[in-house]
Amino acid sequence: MDDRELQLLTESISRDSFGRPFRHRVYFNPRLRTTGGRYRLHDHDIEINPEAYRKYGMDELVGIIKHELCHYHLHIEGKGYQHRDRDFRELLRQTGAPRHCSVIREPARRKARHLYRCADCGQSYMRKIRMNTDRYRCGKCQGRILKVEES
């Protein structure tokens, strides 16, 4: 699917599900990482994550488009368009749009690299940043903490 087909699909969904025309642009944005789509307030365009379409197919894409069209139409009308607004939640329900999209990509997390253990009770502590063991004691038994390994 290319941007032109996406535009036609969005215009069709807007007419059929909302009874209103979509008069702005919709396009795939490969820079989106963790969200299925984004409605841009300043120019009323909608960006769609192409990974969501590749990973989950047409049903997920239609759901994302409906969700973003809810933002679009409510913002154009001057009503509550944010996720927390009652107008938004009601329009989601009326159109069958999902509140959230499926997980596209997990956000990157730093792994804990330093393992410490209490010399007395054996309590383990994982840390991302190295710590000075002379300054800290075990929170469980107040024993000495020793560095075990670094990965």
Side-chain angles (χ1 to χ4, degrees), residues 122-138:
Q123 173 72 33
S124 296
Y125 299 95
M126 297 292 291
R127 294 289 179 263
K128 294 178 186 175
I129 299 172
R130 193 175 58 217
M131 65 184 241
N132 182 355
T133 57
D134 295 333
R135 297 184 58 174
Y136 297 95
R137 300 296 238 167
C138 175

Side-chain angles (χ1 to χ4, degrees), residues 6 27-38 47-55 61 64 101 104-105:
L6 180 65
Y27 52 90
F28 286 113
N29 182 352
R31 291 183 310 275
L32 295 177
R33 296 283 181 222
T34 58
T35 184
R38 175 170 57 190
E47 299 174 340
I48 302 292
N49 187 339
E51 191 64 28
Y53 176 59
R54 278 194 290 273
K55 195 170 182 181
L61 179 65
I64 292 169
C101 70
I104 295 172
R105 177 195 259 178

